[in-house]
């Protein structure tokens, strides 16, 4: 009988339940301050809130997505010729930090190695498929990345594939392959200073294998005790916990839900990752981009669930961030800046209807009101929205007597009873449309 990836993950999830971990957790009770408390590393990660995914490697030169080698069945020898032209001439860690800061992103997750097996770091002879065998030899991009980002106050995280399309051992001698993979992770742990965490991806390629995760995660705990351990369980298994050492579950292109932590031993957080179009690696002919409005909504939807958002910007051939994507991210950064620390430190749990929600910050209440109006004029065409009017919220702690829009200072009518709180949302003044409008409440 063929065992599906989903079945295996369910098995792993059951193991998680046995270990007292939240699995497939849901909204309910998330507002309650029950269950375990976050470790320092998890709390710090939650307060980073919003990060940049930087999926870049050999494939970026072909500009057809990061899966181009397998999707277009390119023979290995052909594909690996991309190493001869991999100059990395536009890879500039300082520029990455600048774009991240401008966008309000506090961390970056860079593909040290993706599924093609090519490493942006010097593997010290462990693999031939690394930066030392390209025209960029002499540079170690992970060294540049980690030290520059730290200097700039942006947390560097490392994406590392666990599968490998081009290493024979992955198919033929899995244990030898794992020795190699683990040696690479140890090398990354020991030689590049403190990193924010490791983001693994690929266990789903061999769902029935013994990945020896105790050993892999043990290496990280030994050498980088403050690093987050994240494993991407993928689109079909969002929010599942694969191993007790996992610090954050993933929601690849999905809507995170608050984790119900009652009766669980360990506090695990969540992170949603999203592409700006439909590929993670640079894809020149993919014009299907999200708008800044969509990203703002995704960011708020993630934060209402207490999850981070990791937004992918796909660098061009030699490592340069595309202007369009940097500009889009900067525009979202403007929205974030207009709301101070709310996105980073706001605590979730307050629920509204149809995407509305609320966060608590420093004992103040902030309500996220969505879909007020899509256009400045009712005569112009725009998506159907709920418009101004009463918005109901539940699970609201405390008693609140007044409210005002953060963007205009306009006072708003407010009603509260033991069950819920109703905010009477007004329309945008001409000249504004915040997409998600925030009301600040006072006691
Ligand atoms: C998937 C893809 C990979 C991509 C990752 C990002 O697992 O295999 O190409 O980088 O998602 O979340």
């Amino acid at each position: 009988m063929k065992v599906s990836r989903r079945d295996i993950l369910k098995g792993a999830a059951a193991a998680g339940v046995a270990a007292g971990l939240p699995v497939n957790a849901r909204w309910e009770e998330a507002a309650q301050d029950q269950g375990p408390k976050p470790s320092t590393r998890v709390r710090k990660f939650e307060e980073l809130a919003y990060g940049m995914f930087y999926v870049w490697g050999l494939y970026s030169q072909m500009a057809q997505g990061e899966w181009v080698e397998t999707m277009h069945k390119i023979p290995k020898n052909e594909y690996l010729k991309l190493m001869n032209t991999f100059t990395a001439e536009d890879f500039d860690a300082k520029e990455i930090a600048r774009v991240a800061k401008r966008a309000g992103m506090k961390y970056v997750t860079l593909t040290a190695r993706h599924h093609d097996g090519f490493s942006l770091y010097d593997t010290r002879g462990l693999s031939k498929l690394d930066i030392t065998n390209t025209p960029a030899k002499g540079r170690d991009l992970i060294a540049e990345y980690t030290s520059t980002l730290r200097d700039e106050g942006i947390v560097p995280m490392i994406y590392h594939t666990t599968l490998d399309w081009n290493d024979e051992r992955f198919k033929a001698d899995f244990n030898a392959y794992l020795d190699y993979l683990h040696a690479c992770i140890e090398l990354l742990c020991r030689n590049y200073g403190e990193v924010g965490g490791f983001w693994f991806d690929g266990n789903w390629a061999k769902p029935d294998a013994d990945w020896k995760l105790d050993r892999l995660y043990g290496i990280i705990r030994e050498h980088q005790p403050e690093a987050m351990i994240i494993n991407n369980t993928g689109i079909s298994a969002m929010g599942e916990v694969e191993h007790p050492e996992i610090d954050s579950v993933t929601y690849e292109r999905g809507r995170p839900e608050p984790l119900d932590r009652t009766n669980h031993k360990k506090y695990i957080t969540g992170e949603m990752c999203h592409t700006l179009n439909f590929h993670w690696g640079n894809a020149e002919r993919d014009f299907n981009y999200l708008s800044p409005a969509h990203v703002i909504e995704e960011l708020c939807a993630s934060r209402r669930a207490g999850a981070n958002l990791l937004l992918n910007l796909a660098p061009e051939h030699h490592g340069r961030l595309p202007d369009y994507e940097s500009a889009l991210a900067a525009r979202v950064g403007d929205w974030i800046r207009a709301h101070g620390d709310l996105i980073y430190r706001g605590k979730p749990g307050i629920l509204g209807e149809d995407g509305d929600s609320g966060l608590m910050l420093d004992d103040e209440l902030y309500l996220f009101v969505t879909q007020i109006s899509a256009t400045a004029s009712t005569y112009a065409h725009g998506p159907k929205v709920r418009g101004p009017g009463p918005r109901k919220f539940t699970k609201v702690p405390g008693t609140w007597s007044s409210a005002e829009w953060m963007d205009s200072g306009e006072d708003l009518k407010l009603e509260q009873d033991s069950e819920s709180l109703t905010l009477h949302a007004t329309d945008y003044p001409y000249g504004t449309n915040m997409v998600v409008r925030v009301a600040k409440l006072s006691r």
Side-chain angles (χ1 to χ4, degrees):
M1 188 188 84
K2 197 175 172 304
V3 184
S4 74
R5 176 183 168 199
R6 175 120 203 135
D7 291 338
I8 291 297
L9 284 163
K10 274 197 178 141
V17 172
L21 296 168
V23 174
N24 281 341
R26 291 157 316 185
W27 261 122
E28 290 86 58
E29 307 305 328
Q32 317 304 325
D33 194 18
Q34 293 168 345
K37 297 278 170 275
S39 61
T40 308
R41 68 170 169 272
V42 170
R43 191 179 41 71
K44 281 191 184 160
F45 178 72
E46 285 185 333
E47 292 188 357
L48 296 177
Y50 183 36
M52 179 196 295
F53 212 167
Y54 199 99
V55 174
W56 176 62
L58 294 180
Y59 45 82
S60 308
Q61 295 176 76
M62 295 189 71
Q64 294 169 55
E66 80 287 5
W67 275 66
V68 63
E69 181 185 359
T70 51
M71 289 308 223
H72 292 306
K73 301 193 171 49
I74 304 172
K76 176 177 167 180
N77 291 344
E78 273 306 305
Y79 180 81
L80 291 178
K81 283 185 187 154
L82 290 168
M83 286 179 65
N84 303 330
T85 47
F86 190 80
T87 65
E89 64 201 57
D90 299 326
F91 181 84
D92 178 352
K94 211 160 176 175
E95 175 64 6
I96 298 174
R98 190 192 66 76
V99 173
K101 281 192 226 174
R102 175 70 184 82
M105 294 161 160
K106 296 205 173 184
Y107 65 106
V108 178
T109 304
L110 167 66
T111 48
R113 179 188 300 165
H114 206 271
H115 307 332
D116 61 8
F118 174 75
S119 304
L120 299 182
Y121 57 98
D122 177 355
T123 61
R124 278 86 167 162
L126 291 171
S127 166
K128 289 197 170 61
L129 307 191
D130 74 9
I131 191 79
T132 64
N133 291 308
T134 70
K137 62 174 174 287
R139 288 174 73 185
D140 181 324
L141 303 184
I142 295 300
E144 293 177 17
Y145 163 73
T146 48
S147 65
T148 307
L149 263 68
R150 274 191 303 262
D151 287 351
E152 295 289 324
I154 299 286
V155 174
M157 311 259 301
I158 292 184
Y159 169 109
H160 207 286
T161 185
T162 56
L163 65 87
D164 199 313
W165 293 327
N166 292 314
D167 190 309
E168 300 304 323
R169 290 170 293 186
F170 183 70
K171 287 198 195 95
D173 188 352
F174 191 57
N175 283 333
Y177 170 76
L178 286 182
D179 289 344
Y180 156 65
L181 174 68
H182 295 178
C184 292
I185 299 302
E186 181 163 349
L187 189 154
L188 283 168
C189 283
R190 293 170 79 118
N191 293 286
Y192 298 90
E194 194 177 338
V195 298
F198 284 84
W199 207 99
F200 295 109
D201 187 25
N203 293 4
W204 37 261
K206 271 190 194 274
D208 44 359
D210 175 4
W211 283 87
K212 301 196 176 155
L213 296 175
D214 287 348
R215 187 172 77 178
L216 175 64
Y217 298 156
I219 291 169
I220 297 171
R221 291 288 184 245
E222 182 184 347
H223 300 290
Q224 294 268 349
E226 288 313 310
M228 292 284 292
I229 300 181
I230 301 175
N231 172 59
N232 183 27
T233 45
I235 292 176
S236 63
M238 288 178 209
E240 292 194 2
V241 181
E242 160 234 34
H243 185 277
E245 287 298 342
I246 291 297
D247 293 311
S248 173
V249 292
T250 61
Y251 303 88
E252 184 179 332
R253 290 188 256 205
R255 275 282 156 98
E257 294 177 0
L259 296 164
D260 175 3
R261 302 189 173 92
T262 7
N263 305 323
H264 294 303
K265 285 188 193 132
K266 178 178 168 179
Y267 180 109
I268 296 179
T269 193
E271 185 192 52
M272 198 265 264
C273 55
H274 215 302
T275 46
L276 274 182
N277 55 18
F278 279 76
H279 296 80
W280 299 94
N282 170 28
E284 247 164 23
R285 303 229 160 180
D286 180 351
F287 293 93
N288 203 344
Y289 280 101
L290 301 188
S291 63
H294 193 134
V295 176
I296 291 166
E297 282 169 356
E298 294 293 353
L299 179 61
C300 293
S302 299
R303 297 313 280 161
R304 85 197 265 264
N308 287 20
L309 174 65
L310 182 62
L311 185 72
N312 185 63
L313 307 191
E316 293 165 353
H317 312 55
H318 298 295
R320 183 177 178 280
L321 280 168
D323 293 338
Y324 177 80
E325 301 190 11
S326 303
L328 192 155
R331 201 65 189 113
V332 177
D334 293 338
W335 187 96
I336 295 174
R337 251 183 299 282
H339 299 97
D341 245 11
L342 185 57
I343 282 299
Y344 307 107
R345 292 197 300 111
K347 295 277 174 289
I350 295 119
L351 296 177
E353 290 161 341
D354 283 345
D356 292 351
S357 57
L359 299 180
M360 290 289 298
L361 173 62
D362 296 334
D363 212 30
E364 313 252 40
L365 175 60
Y366 295 83
L367 298 178
F368 285 166
V369 182
T370 58
Q371 303 184 57
I372 291 184
S373 163
T375 66
S377 160
T378 45
Y379 297 108
H381 288 287
K384 257 194 166 337
V385 293
R386 290 169 69 197
R391 301 299 181 99
K392 199 168 155 187
F393 297 85
T394 52
K395 302 201 176 195
V396 176
T399 312
W400 303 90
S401 59
S402 63
E404 62 173 44
W405 288 130
M406 280 186 89
D407 58 37
S408 67
E410 180 192 339
D411 285 333
L412 299 167
K413 206 174 128 202
L414 194 68
E415 287 153 335
Q416 191 175 13
D417 59 27
S418 56
E419 297 287 296
S420 63
L421 183 150
T422 303
L423 178 81
H424 291 268
T426 57
D427 218 341
Y428 289 112
Y430 176 75
T432 56
N433 187 335
M434 303 298 284
V435 183
V436 176
R437 201 171 190 193
V438 184
K440 184 177 180 192
L441 274 62
S442 305
R443 290 183 193 273

